[in-house]
Amino acid sequence: MRTQVAIVGAGPAGLMLGRILERAGIDAIILERRSADYVLGRVRAGVLEQGSIELMDAVGIGQRMHREGLVHHGVELSLDGDPHRLDFQHLIGRHVMVYGQTEITHDLMDARAASGARTVYEAEDVGLLDFDGEHPRVEYRKDGVTHRIECDFIAGCDGYHGISRASVPLGALETFERVYPFGWLGVLVDQPPVAHELIYAHHERGFALCSMRSPTRSRYYAQVPAAERVEAWSDDRFWDELRARLNPQTAAALKTGASIEKSIALLRSFVAEPLRFGRLFLAGDAAHIVPPTGAKGLNLALSDVRVLGAALVEFYGERSVAGIDAYSATALKRIWKAERFSWWMTSLLHVFPETGAFGRRIQRAEFDYLVGSRVAQQSLAENYTGLLD
Ligand code: FAS
Ligand code: PHB
């Protein structure tokens, strides 16, 4: 079997890259370890930067997003019950869209199925070969049969635990990491959101986030210690803890119910450099991880493949290697700015026991400065709605 680009992973990065290439007439096969239903069953991101909204439109799959997505012009930040709304539209004239990652994945999968482009689900033991030469190959097993794909390029879009980054020879990669001493316990519930915009709350008991998926489905998070087990959290215990971290009016308005999903995601900041090894490119969570506090993970994955897709289109269209040669440096500039913002939001809003009373006073001062400075608010708004480069 032969293709121009072999894509490993059918998450948002792999599927979006496939869509970009397909619209340029470039043949790509996507190999996904799991079933399509399994991929769709993951509950992850919820907020799209303006650049991601524009990318969805640019690849012709933004219709349902505009119908069902929720445009948000601001968020509320609160520190120990002291709420403050940041009005993105007023501050910098930009907005975000609440539209779940599951929905984006659905839209991309539907578009790919409609076009007949090839995706192999439940592809086992994917192996990346000879990507340091001119003729890379990918092998995988399906229903007990081993298949080989000859290709020009391999796009490693297989997430943090994927095979792509793991296939890079030791020493060819430099990694940068910060692991946080806590995670997010997330709950999905079919109840109307407690507020019409997101609420990021810092409380001495821990961070809490009130988000949503639709006017009838809400997503809530609470900071928990990294060693915490989800089995230790009944719904009632979660709702009591969430209320304790919100200001009294919001807590009183909270509509609770039986969780339809409950899980703990650990928080880390991670970047691998560079993002290219011969004919192998890394994109999305395969290359980097951000704590979800800044709502950047999904958006960064989409911006990576927007750059990589344009570079591959330029290569095949103009036989120019300028874009693919520049991909790693171009993507890393934006990645590190998103890492910085996500680290800053996490540092501001979470409780870090090890930093003690001094650390909490610094957080209070940071929040008071933010609340009192339009320029500081514009900086947060610019980063949250998505930097332009
Ligand atoms: P993904 O991990 O989404 O997709 C990689 C795909 O590759 C998967 O389908 C996987 O099955 C497949 N794969 C892995 N190994 C393979 C192999 N060997 N062979 C073939 N396929 C393989 N981001 C936000 O912005 N906001 C959030 O609230 C948020 N919450 C998150 C919660 C959790 C629990 C996690 C894990 C992440 C969260 N993220 C969030 C980040 C998340 O949205 C990612 O940034 C996003 O999924 C990145 O997309 P991909 O790079 O496509 O990676
Ligand atoms: C979510 O809705 O899942 C969500 C929203 C904003 C974040 C993180 C997660 O910063």
Side-chain angles (χ1 to χ4, degrees), residues 8-14 31-34 38-39 42-47 101 123 126 157-163 184 213 221 263-265 283-286 292 295-299 301:
V8 187
L31 301 176
E32 165 56 52
R33 177 167 62 177
R34 301 289 190 172
Y38 185 97
V39 176
R42 291 192 190 111
V43 180
R44 292 212 176 145
V47 173
Q101 178 170 324
V126 172
C157 300
D158 46 351
Y160 181 74
H161 299 290
I163 189 65
W184 281 15
R213 290 292 177 273
Y221 296 95
S263 56
I264 293 177
D285 277 17
K296 290 294 153 224
L298 167 62
N299 294 291

Short mmCIF file of all heavy atoms in Angstrom, two decimals, residues 8-14 31-34 38-39 42-47 101 123 126 157-163 184 213 221 263-265 283-286 292 295-299 301, ligand 1:
data_model
loop_
_atom_site.label_atom_id
_atom_site.label_comp_id
_atom_site.label_asym_id
_atom_site.label_seq_id
_atom_site.Cartn_x
_atom_site.Cartn_y
_atom_site.Cartn_z
N VAL A 8 -0.40 9.06 12.05
CA VAL A 8 -0.64 8.14 13.17
C VAL A 8 -1.48 8.87 14.22
O VAL A 8 -1.05 9.91 14.74
CB VAL A 8 0.68 7.67 13.80
CG1 VAL A 8 0.42 6.58 14.85
CG2 VAL A 8 1.63 7.14 12.72
N GLY A 9 -2.69 8.36 14.46
CA GLY A 9 -3.57 8.97 15.47
C GLY A 9 -4.75 9.68 14.84
O GLY A 9 -4.58 10.49 13.94
N ALA A 10 -5.95 9.34 15.31
CA ALA A 10 -7.19 9.97 14.80
C ALA A 10 -7.84 10.80 15.91
O ALA A 10 -9.05 10.75 16.13
CB ALA A 10 -8.17 8.92 14.30
N GLY A 11 -7.02 11.56 16.61
CA GLY A 11 -7.55 12.59 17.50
C GLY A 11 -7.71 13.86 16.68
O GLY A 11 -7.63 13.83 15.44
N PRO A 12 -7.95 14.99 17.35
CA PRO A 12 -8.16 16.23 16.59
C PRO A 12 -6.99 16.59 15.68
O PRO A 12 -7.19 17.05 14.55
CB PRO A 12 -8.34 17.29 17.68
CG PRO A 12 -8.43 16.59 18.97
CD PRO A 12 -8.14 15.16 18.78
N ALA A 13 -5.75 16.35 16.14
CA ALA A 13 -4.59 16.72 15.30
C ALA A 13 -4.56 15.88 14.04
O ALA A 13 -4.47 16.41 12.92
CB ALA A 13 -3.30 16.54 16.10
N GLY A 14 -4.65 14.56 14.18
CA GLY A 14 -4.57 13.68 13.01
C GLY A 14 -5.71 13.88 12.05
O GLY A 14 -5.52 13.98 10.83
N LEU A 31 -3.94 6.06 10.74
CA LEU A 31 -3.94 4.81 11.50
C LEU A 31 -4.25 5.13 12.96
O LEU A 31 -3.55 5.90 13.60
CB LEU A 31 -2.55 4.15 11.42
CG LEU A 31 -2.05 3.80 10.02
CD1 LEU A 31 -0.64 3.24 10.11
CD2 LEU A 31 -2.97 2.79 9.34
N GLU A 32 -5.31 4.55 13.47
CA GLU A 32 -5.76 4.82 14.84
C GLU A 32 -5.83 3.51 15.62
O GLU A 32 -6.42 2.54 15.17
CB GLU A 32 -7.12 5.52 14.81
CG GLU A 32 -7.89 5.56 16.13
CD GLU A 32 -7.12 6.21 17.29
OE1 GLU A 32 -6.63 7.35 17.11
OE2 GLU A 32 -7.01 5.57 18.35
N ARG A 33 -5.23 3.55 16.82
CA ARG A 33 -5.14 2.34 17.64
C ARG A 33 -6.52 1.89 18.16
O ARG A 33 -6.78 0.70 18.29
CB ARG A 33 -4.22 2.64 18.84
CG ARG A 33 -4.07 1.51 19.81
CD ARG A 33 -2.94 1.74 20.77
NE ARG A 33 -3.15 2.95 21.59
CZ ARG A 33 -2.30 3.31 22.56
NH1 ARG A 33 -1.20 2.61 22.77
NH2 ARG A 33 -2.52 4.39 23.30
N ARG A 34 -7.35 2.85 18.45
CA ARG A 34 -8.64 2.54 19.08
C ARG A 34 -9.76 2.52 18.04
O ARG A 34 -9.56 2.89 16.89
CB ARG A 34 -8.96 3.62 20.13
CG ARG A 34 -7.94 3.77 21.24
CD ARG A 34 -7.95 2.61 22.18
NE ARG A 34 -7.13 2.85 23.38
CZ ARG A 34 -7.11 2.04 24.42
NH1 ARG A 34 -7.87 0.95 24.43
NH2 ARG A 34 -6.34 2.29 25.47
N TYR A 38 -14.52 4.62 20.64
CA TYR A 38 -13.65 4.86 21.80
C TYR A 38 -13.09 6.29 21.75
O TYR A 38 -13.12 7.02 22.75
CB TYR A 38 -12.50 3.85 21.82
CG TYR A 38 -11.63 3.95 23.06
CD1 TYR A 38 -11.83 3.12 24.16
CD2 TYR A 38 -10.60 4.91 23.13
CE1 TYR A 38 -11.04 3.22 25.29
CE2 TYR A 38 -9.82 5.02 24.28
CZ TYR A 38 -10.03 4.18 25.34
OH TYR A 38 -9.25 4.31 26.48
N VAL A 39 -12.65 6.69 20.57
CA VAL A 39 -12.09 8.05 20.43
C VAL A 39 -13.17 9.08 20.77
O VAL A 39 -12.93 10.03 21.50
CB VAL A 39 -11.55 8.28 19.01
CG1 VAL A 39 -11.07 9.72 18.82
CG2 VAL A 39 -10.40 7.31 18.71
N ARG A 42 -14.05 9.86 24.56
CA ARG A 42 -13.19 10.62 25.46
C ARG A 42 -13.79 12.01 25.70
O ARG A 42 -14.13 12.71 24.75
CB ARG A 42 -11.81 10.82 24.81
CG ARG A 42 -10.99 9.56 24.67
CD ARG A 42 -9.57 9.95 24.30
NE ARG A 42 -8.76 8.80 23.92
CZ ARG A 42 -8.34 8.58 22.68
NH1 ARG A 42 -8.63 9.42 21.72
NH2 ARG A 42 -7.60 7.51 22.41
N VAL A 43 -13.89 12.40 26.99
CA VAL A 43 -14.40 13.75 27.29
C VAL A 43 -13.19 14.63 27.56
O VAL A 43 -12.44 14.38 28.52
CB VAL A 43 -15.32 13.74 28.52
CG1 VAL A 43 -15.82 15.16 28.80
CG2 VAL A 43 -16.49 12.79 28.29
N ARG A 44 -12.94 15.60 26.73
CA ARG A 44 -11.74 16.42 26.90
C ARG A 44 -12.07 17.90 26.80
O ARG A 44 -12.84 18.43 27.57
CB ARG A 44 -10.69 15.98 25.88
CG ARG A 44 -10.15 14.59 26.19
CD ARG A 44 -8.73 14.47 25.76
NE ARG A 44 -8.12 13.20 26.09
CZ ARG A 44 -7.22 12.60 25.30
NH1 ARG A 44 -6.89 13.15 24.16
NH2 ARG A 44 -6.68 11.46 25.65
N ALA A 45 -11.48 18.56 25.83
CA ALA A 45 -11.51 20.02 25.81
C ALA A 45 -12.90 20.58 25.50
O ALA A 45 -13.76 19.87 24.98
CB ALA A 45 -10.52 20.51 24.76
N GLY A 46 -13.04 21.88 25.82
CA GLY A 46 -14.35 22.47 25.60
C GLY A 46 -14.34 23.84 24.97
O GLY A 46 -15.38 24.36 24.59
N VAL A 47 -13.17 24.49 24.88
CA VAL A 47 -13.13 25.89 24.45
C VAL A 47 -12.26 26.03 23.20
O VAL A 47 -11.13 25.53 23.16
CB VAL A 47 -12.55 26.78 25.57
CG1 VAL A 47 -12.34 28.20 25.09
CG2 VAL A 47 -13.47 26.76 26.78
N GLN A 101 -14.55 19.06 22.32
CA GLN A 101 -13.60 18.34 21.47
C GLN A 101 -14.28 17.14 20.82
O GLN A 101 -13.99 16.78 19.67
CB GLN A 101 -12.40 17.88 22.29
CG GLN A 101 -11.39 17.08 21.50
CD GLN A 101 -10.12 16.84 22.26
OE1 GLN A 101 -9.65 17.70 22.99
NE2 GLN A 101 -9.52 15.69 22.09
N ALA A 123 -5.98 -0.24 14.55
CA ALA A 123 -4.71 -0.64 13.95
C ALA A 123 -3.74 -0.95 15.09
O ALA A 123 -3.43 -0.08 15.90
CB ALA A 123 -4.17 0.47 13.08
N VAL A 126 1.40 -0.31 15.58
CA VAL A 126 1.91 0.59 14.53
C VAL A 126 3.41 0.78 14.74
O VAL A 126 3.88 0.99 15.87
CB VAL A 126 1.18 1.94 14.59
CG1 VAL A 126 1.84 2.96 13.66
CG2 VAL A 126 -0.30 1.78 14.24
N CYS A 157 0.72 12.05 15.18
CA CYS A 157 -0.37 12.79 15.87
C CYS A 157 -1.01 11.87 16.90
O CYS A 157 -2.24 11.89 17.09
CB CYS A 157 -1.41 13.25 14.85
SG CYS A 157 -0.77 14.33 13.57
N ASP A 158 -0.18 11.05 17.55
CA ASP A 158 -0.72 9.98 18.40
C ASP A 158 -0.64 10.27 19.89
O ASP A 158 -0.59 9.37 20.71
CB ASP A 158 -0.06 8.65 18.06
CG ASP A 158 1.46 8.75 17.96
OD1 ASP A 158 2.01 9.87 17.97
OD2 ASP A 158 2.12 7.70 17.89
N GLY A 159 -0.59 11.56 20.23
CA GLY A 159 -0.74 11.91 21.64
C GLY A 159 0.49 11.62 22.49
O GLY A 159 1.51 11.10 22.03
N TYR A 160 0.36 11.96 23.77
CA TYR A 160 1.50 11.90 24.69
C TYR A 160 2.04 10.48 24.86
O TYR A 160 3.24 10.27 25.01
CB TYR A 160 1.06 12.47 26.05
CG TYR A 160 2.14 12.49 27.09
CD1 TYR A 160 3.17 13.42 27.03
CD2 TYR A 160 2.14 11.57 28.14
CE1 TYR A 160 4.17 13.46 27.98
CE2 TYR A 160 3.14 11.59 29.09
CZ TYR A 160 4.16 12.53 29.01
OH TYR A 160 5.16 12.54 29.95
N HIS A 161 1.15 9.51 24.84
CA HIS A 161 1.56 8.12 25.06
C HIS A 161 1.73 7.34 23.76
O HIS A 161 1.80 6.10 23.77
CB HIS A 161 0.51 7.41 25.94
CG HIS A 161 0.35 8.06 27.29
ND1 HIS A 161 1.30 8.00 28.28
CD2 HIS A 161 -0.66 8.82 27.79
CE1 HIS A 161 0.89 8.66 29.35
NE2 HIS A 161 -0.30 9.18 29.09
N GLY A 162 1.79 8.08 22.63
CA GLY A 162 1.84 7.40 21.34
C GLY A 162 3.20 6.80 21.02
O GLY A 162 4.18 6.94 21.77
N ILE A 163 3.29 6.17 19.83
CA ILE A 163 4.52 5.50 19.40
C ILE A 163 5.46 6.45 18.66
O ILE A 163 6.67 6.21 18.57
CB ILE A 163 4.17 4.29 18.49
CG1 ILE A 163 5.39 3.42 18.18
CG2 ILE A 163 3.50 4.77 17.19
CD1 ILE A 163 5.98 2.74 19.38
N TRP A 184 -7.04 17.31 38.01
CA TRP A 184 -8.40 17.84 37.94
C TRP A 184 -9.38 16.66 37.96
O TRP A 184 -9.30 15.77 37.08
CB TRP A 184 -8.63 18.61 36.64
CG TRP A 184 -8.10 19.99 36.60
CD1 TRP A 184 -7.20 20.57 37.45
CD2 TRP A 184 -8.43 20.99 35.63
NE1 TRP A 184 -6.95 21.87 37.06
CE2 TRP A 184 -7.71 22.15 35.95
CE3 TRP A 184 -9.29 21.02 34.53
CZ2 TRP A 184 -7.80 23.32 35.19
CZ3 TRP A 184 -9.38 22.17 33.77
CH2 TRP A 184 -8.65 23.30 34.11
N ARG A 213 -21.00 22.24 28.04
CA ARG A 213 -20.94 21.69 26.70
C ARG A 213 -22.12 22.21 25.88
O ARG A 213 -22.02 22.24 24.65
CB ARG A 213 -20.95 20.15 26.71
CG ARG A 213 -19.67 19.55 27.26
CD ARG A 213 -18.50 19.79 26.32
NE ARG A 213 -17.23 19.29 26.84
CZ ARG A 213 -16.42 19.97 27.62
NH1 ARG A 213 -16.74 21.22 27.99
NH2 ARG A 213 -15.29 19.45 28.06
N TYR A 221 -14.94 20.99 37.24
CA TYR A 221 -13.66 20.43 37.65
C TYR A 221 -13.33 20.92 39.05
O TYR A 221 -13.67 22.05 39.43
CB TYR A 221 -12.53 20.90 36.73
CG TYR A 221 -12.63 20.44 35.29
CD1 TYR A 221 -13.21 21.25 34.32
CD2 TYR A 221 -12.11 19.20 34.89
CE1 TYR A 221 -13.28 20.84 32.99
CE2 TYR A 221 -12.18 18.79 33.56
CZ TYR A 221 -12.76 19.62 32.63
OH TYR A 221 -12.84 19.22 31.31
N SER A 263 -13.78 11.65 35.94
CA SER A 263 -12.41 11.15 35.76
C SER A 263 -11.43 12.17 36.32
O SER A 263 -11.78 13.33 36.52
CB SER A 263 -12.12 10.93 34.27
OG SER A 263 -12.36 12.14 33.55
N ILE A 264 -10.20 11.70 36.55
CA ILE A 264 -9.13 12.58 37.04
C ILE A 264 -8.05 12.67 35.98
O ILE A 264 -7.58 11.65 35.48
CB ILE A 264 -8.54 12.05 38.37
CG1 ILE A 264 -9.59 12.14 39.48
CG2 ILE A 264 -7.28 12.83 38.75
CD1 ILE A 264 -9.14 11.59 40.82
N ALA A 265 -7.70 13.91 35.59
CA ALA A 265 -6.60 14.14 34.64
C ALA A 265 -5.47 14.79 35.40
O ALA A 265 -5.68 15.80 36.08
CB ALA A 265 -7.06 15.05 33.49
N ALA A 283 3.14 16.38 16.05
CA ALA A 283 2.15 17.46 16.19
C ALA A 283 1.16 17.12 17.30
O ALA A 283 0.90 15.94 17.58
CB ALA A 283 1.39 17.66 14.88
N GLY A 284 0.65 18.16 17.97
CA GLY A 284 -0.35 17.95 19.02
C GLY A 284 0.27 17.39 20.29
O GLY A 284 1.46 17.62 20.57
N ASP A 285 -0.52 16.61 21.03
CA ASP A 285 -0.04 16.10 22.31
C ASP A 285 1.16 15.16 22.18
O ASP A 285 1.84 14.90 23.15
CB ASP A 285 -1.18 15.35 23.03
CG ASP A 285 -2.08 16.30 23.78
OD1 ASP A 285 -2.04 17.52 23.50
OD2 ASP A 285 -2.83 15.82 24.66
N ALA A 286 1.43 14.67 20.95
CA ALA A 286 2.65 13.86 20.74
C ALA A 286 3.89 14.72 20.97
O ALA A 286 4.96 14.20 21.29
CB ALA A 286 2.66 13.31 19.31
N PRO A 292 -4.67 22.09 31.51
CA PRO A 292 -5.86 22.60 30.82
C PRO A 292 -6.37 23.95 31.33
O PRO A 292 -7.31 24.50 30.79
CB PRO A 292 -6.90 21.50 31.04
CG PRO A 292 -6.41 20.70 32.17
CD PRO A 292 -4.93 20.84 32.21
N ALA A 295 -6.99 26.38 28.66
CA ALA A 295 -7.82 25.90 27.53
C ALA A 295 -7.02 25.93 26.24
O ALA A 295 -7.50 26.39 25.20
CB ALA A 295 -9.10 26.73 27.40
N LYS A 296 -5.76 25.45 26.27
CA LYS A 296 -4.86 25.54 25.12
C LYS A 296 -4.60 24.21 24.42
O LYS A 296 -4.21 24.20 23.25
CB LYS A 296 -3.50 26.11 25.58
CG LYS A 296 -3.56 27.56 25.97
CD LYS A 296 -3.87 28.45 24.80
CE LYS A 296 -4.56 29.73 25.24
NZ LYS A 296 -5.70 30.07 24.37
N GLY A 297 -4.75 23.07 25.10
CA GLY A 297 -4.30 21.79 24.54
C GLY A 297 -4.85 21.51 23.16
O GLY A 297 -4.11 21.35 22.18
N LEU A 298 -6.14 21.49 23.05
CA LEU A 298 -6.78 21.21 21.76
C LEU A 298 -6.41 22.27 20.74
O LEU A 298 -6.06 21.99 19.60
CB LEU A 298 -8.30 21.19 21.97
CG LEU A 298 -9.15 21.22 20.71
CD1 LEU A 298 -8.89 20.00 19.84
CD2 LEU A 298 -10.62 21.31 21.08
N ASN A 299 -6.45 23.54 21.15
CA ASN A 299 -6.17 24.65 20.23
C ASN A 299 -4.74 24.60 19.72
O ASN A 299 -4.47 24.88 18.56
CB ASN A 299 -6.46 25.98 20.93
CG ASN A 299 -7.95 26.14 21.23
OD1 ASN A 299 -8.75 26.30 20.32
ND2 ASN A 299 -8.32 26.05 22.50
N ALA A 301 -2.97 21.84 19.39
CA ALA A 301 -2.90 20.71 18.45
C ALA A 301 -3.39 21.15 17.07
O ALA A 301 -2.79 20.85 16.04
CB ALA A 301 -3.76 19.55 18.97
P1 FAS B 1 -5.08 12.91 21.21
O1 FAS B 1 -4.45 12.27 22.42
O2 FAS B 1 -6.42 13.54 21.34
O3 FAS B 1 -5.19 11.84 20.02
C1 FAS B 1 -4.13 10.93 19.78
C2 FAS B 1 -4.76 9.70 19.13
O4 FAS B 1 -3.70 8.78 18.80
C3 FAS B 1 -5.71 8.96 20.08
O5 FAS B 1 -6.94 8.72 19.45
C4 FAS B 1 -4.97 7.65 20.39
O6 FAS B 1 -5.86 6.56 20.55
C5 FAS B 1 -4.11 7.47 19.16
N1 FAS B 1 -2.91 6.67 19.39
C6 FAS B 1 -2.13 6.67 20.50
N2 FAS B 1 -1.12 5.78 20.33
C7 FAS B 1 -1.28 5.21 19.10
C8 FAS B 1 -0.56 4.24 18.36
N3 FAS B 1 0.52 3.66 18.87
N4 FAS B 1 -1.02 3.89 17.13
C9 FAS B 1 -2.12 4.50 16.62
N5 FAS B 1 -2.86 5.44 17.27
C10 FAS B 1 -2.42 5.79 18.50
N6 FAS B 1 -7.32 20.40 26.35
C11 FAS B 1 -8.02 21.55 26.46
O7 FAS B 1 -7.79 22.49 25.69
N7 FAS B 1 -8.98 21.68 27.43
C12 FAS B 1 -9.29 20.64 28.27
O8 FAS B 1 -10.16 20.75 29.10
C13 FAS B 1 -8.60 19.42 28.17
N8 FAS B 1 -8.91 18.36 28.98
C14 FAS B 1 -8.20 17.19 28.85
C15 FAS B 1 -8.49 16.07 29.65
C16 FAS B 1 -7.75 14.88 29.52
C17 FAS B 1 -8.09 13.68 30.39
C18 FAS B 1 -6.70 14.80 28.58
C19 FAS B 1 -5.88 13.53 28.44
C20 FAS B 1 -6.42 15.89 27.77
C21 FAS B 1 -7.18 17.10 27.89
N9 FAS B 1 -6.93 18.20 27.08
C22 FAS B 1 -7.61 19.36 27.18
C23 FAS B 1 -5.93 18.14 26.08
C24 FAS B 1 -6.51 17.42 24.89
O9 FAS B 1 -7.70 18.08 24.49
C25 FAS B 1 -5.45 17.37 23.85
O10 FAS B 1 -4.76 18.61 23.73
C26 FAS B 1 -5.96 16.97 22.51
O11 FAS B 1 -6.68 15.77 22.63
C27 FAS B 1 -4.76 16.83 21.59
O12 FAS B 1 -5.16 16.22 20.44
P2 FAS B 1 -4.17 15.18 19.69
O13 FAS B 1 -2.83 15.79 19.59
O14 FAS B 1 -4.91 14.77 18.47
O15 FAS B 1 -3.99 13.96 20.71
#
